[in-house]
């Protein structure tokens, strides 16, 4: 099939490594794509989120970047390790730790807001999705 007749055309908007994402985090297990948003533990396309572990601790340092403006919007030091995160709305990042679920609005200086504790019997289960 000729490219002009293909049902899907692809155009590379950017490479994550070109905007400073560590290539070790650009993997199948760390990257998801939802609509026009690409999300991983190191990046989020358009509103770009970054997570890095602090050596010697179980804490994660989270950051949200605006790719278009190429600037950091906000950051937060989570008291425990993040096991899953996902944009649950265009303005709210859902964050799951071993014990709790948080919502982090990208606007303003708000820190992640604890929504509820996870059930203890789910502590060792893999989280594959979250929504409002």
């Amino acid at each position: 099939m000729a490219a002009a007749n293909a049902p899907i055309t692809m155009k590379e908007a950017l490479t994550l490594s070109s905007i400073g994402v560590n290539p070790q985090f650009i993997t199948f297990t760390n990257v998801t794509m939802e609509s026009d948003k690409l999300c991983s533990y190191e990046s989020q396309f358009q509103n770009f989120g970054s997570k890095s572990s602090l050596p010697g601790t179980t804490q994660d340092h989270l950051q949200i970047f605006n790719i278009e403006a190429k600037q950091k919007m906000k950051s937060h030091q989570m008291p425990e390790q993040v096991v899953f995160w996902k944009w649950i709305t265009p303005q709210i990042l859902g964050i799951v730790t071993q014990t709790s679920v948080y919502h982090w609005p990208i606007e303003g200086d708000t820190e992640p807001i604890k929504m509820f504790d996870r059930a203890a019997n789910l502590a060792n289960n893999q989280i594959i999705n979250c929504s409002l």
Side-chain angles (χ1 to χ4, degrees), residues 118-125:
R118 287 181 57 189
N121 62 339
L122 298 177
N124 293 319
N125 291 326

Side-chain angles (χ1 to χ4, degrees), residues 5 7 9 21 25 31 42-43 64 70 73-74 80 84-85 89 91 93 122 131:
N5 297 329
T9 58
V21 177
F25 295 108
V31 178
E42 184 67 23
S43 67
I64 296 176
K70 295 183 179 178
M73 296 175 67
K74 61 194 321 182
E80 56 185 311
F84 182 82
W85 70 348
T89 74
Q91 301 297 317
L93 183 63
L122 298 177
S131 63

